[in-house]
Amino acid sequence: MNDLAMTVRGAPITLNGKPLSFSDIARIGRRKVRLVADPDAMVRVANARAVIEEAIANHQPVYGSTTGVGAMKDVEWTDDQLDTFNMGLVRAHHFGTGEAFSSEIIRTAMAIRVNMALTGRVGCTTDLVEAYLALLSADVVPVVRRTGSIGCADIGLMGQIGAVLTGAGEAVFSGKRQPAADALASAGLKAFRLAPRDSLASISTNAVGYAAAAAAIRDAAGAVRVMLATGLTTAGALGASRDPWKAVAHVGTEREAGIGAWLYFNAKGWDWPNATHIQDPLSLRMMSQVFATGFETLVAAGKILLAATGRTDDNPVVAGGQVLTSGGSLPLDVTVFLQTAQLGLAHIARNSFNRCVLLGNGQRRDLPVNLVQPGAIATGFGPIIKLAGELFARVLTMTNPISANSMVVAGGLEDEATFLPLVVERLERQVLALRRLAALEAMLAAQAMDISGDRPGNVPGIIYELVRRHADTYWQDRPLSTEVEAIEDALGSEELMSELISHSTIMELDEFFALGPVA
């Protein structure tokens, strides 16, 4: 083991083919743990490999091992052609373009690929598993450009990882992006010779899409967790009734009751204004229902995603002592549930936008229009509420489902796709817009509190103090762009998440998504 690998301390994560957790994924991505393969799982890998080798020895055509792939499935290679084919297959699938994924996501993708192989259903060599683990141990991270997958095996993305194993492509090592051959040499590793089946096993999986989806779901959960706090702050600034948060305990779902209890508990501890005569606008009264549904869609997507990290999505697979063609490379369940979560986030964005409008239209607690201080000569926050509308529109436009779009490639053999990496990218864009919307709502709520003379405590006090560290009370017109961005960064920090969790946890959500600092 090289010196760099020894910098990763602590108990390792043993990969054994069972589903990973969000905590596992976060720690793997941040390189907080060492990874080892379970010995029994490696026996399964070896047994599956024996089935592949027996089939090849018996001159049984094995897709992608002794034959070509896709439209070239009927082309069979001779023994002396296999080395050239296997080397060329991963390099031919190095066609991704554009911005690269983060190193965190690619570390996770390699770990997922290893974990799937350890189910004993893939038929790759144990040497391939060890080659991936060697890259992870040395922290040689392949550069994987994002655009290159239709979401039915990430061939154009995984091909960029497989190419690095052979010494082609690019990798990041010691913080430097460089040719793969140089990175391997600097790490004390050698280029890997891909045996039959190893080459296809290196590209024909959705591991990159799953890794990116895991990161996006966790980020989305964190953003919603913060928006729950900023929404509560607005409710205090507008003097909303807390009765609906009591009522939901009696009439709501379990998730709604939990969110309502969190809102009610964290509204205590200060002189909460009460401006409600009979009932509030829906955006205040139904916060429990909106946020609970958003969280529920993320939990459902998260559970489906984690299950996918512990099953084989290869083609072919080894099962019952046979090499079988498979349709498992279609990640439709993950994609459909992810798109449902995107719709849940759109409702949370609309809920926030509606509260921003309430803050600025002067109809609650005698607040002035545009939150202009009494007697001040200013335009105030009226114009910036258009930013809230634009951010809501951004989130909403990402909800149009795309997984059922029709596409036919490879001579009609490949006519199903999910576009999972593109769906993930749209989720990432939603999260960016949600974080900025939370910052804008928090700024407006703080201004309303200053006008009313509130002295908020509990979670609203945390949000108020954060805003005031980055933006003064608004007395006269001034540029607001950098202030919104500074508040956004602070709201998205691990420090704030840690403070919110330590102050008042939502146990099952905080633990499931592994929110807060990665230990």
Side-chain angles (χ1 to χ4, degrees):
M1 184 178 294
N2 60 52
D3 290 339
L4 187 62
M6 294 301 293
T7 64
V8 182
R9 305 290 184 182
I13 290 178
T14 300
L15 301 176
N16 57 12
K18 295 181 180 179
L20 301 173
S21 68
F22 278 107
S23 177
D24 292 334
I25 289 170
R27 290 184 293 156
I28 290 168
R30 297 283 186 90
R31 203 163 182 253
K32 298 287 188 179
V33 291
R34 295 176 293 116
L35 296 176
V36 297
D38 178 73
D40 291 339
M42 287 294 273
V43 171
R44 291 197 294 269
V45 174
N47 291 340
R49 179 64 190 177
V51 174
I52 291 284
E53 291 181 349
E54 181 180 5
I56 294 174
N58 291 334
H59 304 289
Q60 174 185 336
V62 178
Y63 178 78
S65 297
T66 65
T67 76
V69 297
M72 297 184 68
K73 67 181 178 61
D74 295 321
V75 176
E76 294 194 40
W77 309 108
T78 63
D79 290 345
D80 60 356
Q81 292 173 327
L82 286 180
D83 274 347
T84 301
F85 167 69
N86 285 314
M87 179 74 77
L89 185 62
V90 293
R91 296 184 176 186
H93 288 84
H94 189 307
F95 57 76
T97 58
E99 178 188 358
F101 283 103
S102 69
S103 291
E104 287 85 353
I105 286 174
I106 301 308
R107 290 188 193 104
T108 302
M110 291 192 287
I112 290 173
R113 169 67 287 188
V114 168
N115 199 53
M116 289 174 162
L118 292 172
T119 63
R121 301 293 189 186
V122 176
C124 64
T125 64
T126 56
D127 289 341
L128 181 66
V129 172
E130 290 170 353
Y132 273 104
L133 289 174
L135 288 184
L136 286 161
S137 177
D139 203 32
V140 174
V141 182
V143 173
V144 179
R145 298 164 180 83
R146 296 187 64 124
T147 307
S149 172
I150 62 173
C152 186
D154 293 329
I155 55 176
L157 307 182
M158 290 299 299
Q160 298 174 73
I161 299 176
V164 169
L165 286 173
T166 71
E170 293 180 286
V172 174
F173 179 68
S174 293
K176 178 184 177 183
R177 180 169 171 168
Q178 56 193 291
D182 295 344
L184 292 175
S186 298
L189 302 176
K190 294 181 179 180
F192 183 70
R193 177 183 174 274
L194 293 162
R197 184 69 187 103
D198 282 352
S199 187
L200 186 59
S202 295
I203 63 173
S204 187
T205 174
N206 296 288
V208 174
Y210 291 155
I217 290 170
R218 183 170 179 265
D219 285 346
V224 175
R225 185 72 161 80
V226 169
M227 292 193 81
L228 184 64
T230 58
L232 177 60
T233 305
T234 295
L238 294 175
S241 171
R242 292 168 288 184
D243 286 351
W245 305 336
K246 290 182 181 179
V248 75
H250 301 279
V251 299
T253 67
E254 182 179 357
R255 183 78 65 199
E256 290 169 354
I259 296 300
W262 188 92
L263 288 167
Y264 187 76
F265 176 80
N266 286 288
K268 293 182 175 181
W270 62 289
D271 189 13
W272 179 277
N274 187 1
T276 300
H277 177 52
I278 296 178
Q279 63 181 13
D280 293 314
L282 300 180
S283 58
L284 297 173
R285 193 169 5 125
M286 296 181 174
M287 285 174 60
S288 300
Q289 287 78 6
V290 172
F291 277 98
T293 300
F295 274 125
E296 204 67 72
T297 61
L298 288 171
V299 168
K303 288 181 177 178
I304 292 290
L305 180 279
L306 294 179
T309 68
R311 67 171 184 256
T312 300
D313 63 353
D314 287 79
N315 176 43
V317 296
V318 176
Q322 294 179 285
V323 182
L324 304 174
T325 187
S326 169
S329 58
L330 188 74
L332 188 56
D333 58 347
V334 173
T335 309
V336 168
F337 275 81
L338 208 60
Q339 290 174 126
T340 303
Q342 290 176 313
L343 182 59
L345 295 182
H347 282 274
I348 289 173
R350 184 180 67 181
N351 194 231
S352 175
F353 169 63
N354 289 342
R355 288 192 301 272
C356 288
V357 173
L358 288 176
L359 282 164
N361 68 9
Q363 295 182 16
R364 298 282 297 187
R365 297 185 68 193
D366 295 322
L367 288 169
V369 172
N370 293 351
L371 298 176
V372 175
Q373 290 279 0
I377 301 173
T379 300
F381 284 95
I384 202 173
I385 292 178
K386 292 181 172 62
L387 171 61
E390 198 261 6
L391 292 169
F392 163 56
R394 281 179 179 267
V395 176
L396 182 62
T397 56
M398 295 294 109
T399 63
N400 182 37
I402 59 174
S403 62
N405 285 354
S406 181
M407 174 176 286
V408 178
V409 295
L413 288 171
E414 298 172 5
D415 53 5
E416 286 287 341
T418 66
F419 308 98
L420 174 58
L422 179 56
V423 170
V424 171
E425 187 174 327
R426 287 152 58 102
L427 177 58
E428 292 169 345
R429 293 177 185 174
Q430 283 186 307
V431 171
L432 291 174
L434 287 172
R435 291 194 183 281
R436 189 151 296 170
L437 188 55
L440 180 54
E441 181 177 358
M443 176 183 276
L444 294 171
Q447 178 73 4
M449 287 176 165
D450 284 344
I451 292 171
S452 298
D454 295 333
R455 294 294 179 266
N458 215 320
V459 166
I462 292 172
I463 299 300
Y464 175 86
E465 292 298 330
L466 180 147
V467 171
R468 285 293 167 251
R469 285 197 296 271
H470 299 280
D472 294 332
T473 303
Y474 197 103
W475 288 94
Q476 61 184 22
D477 293 328
R478 65 177 190 256
L480 295 174
S481 302
T482 57
E483 294 179 9
V484 173
E485 291 169 353
I487 295 169
E488 175 188 349
D489 288 344
L491 287 174
S493 67
E494 289 188 345
E495 290 77 15
L496 175 69
M497 185 60 67
S498 181
E499 184 177 7
L500 289 176
I501 291 172
S502 63
H503 182 83
S504 180
T505 186
I506 307 177
M507 186 68 71
E508 69 280 7
L509 295 175
D510 295 337
E511 289 189 353
F512 177 71
F513 293 112
L515 299 181
V518 179

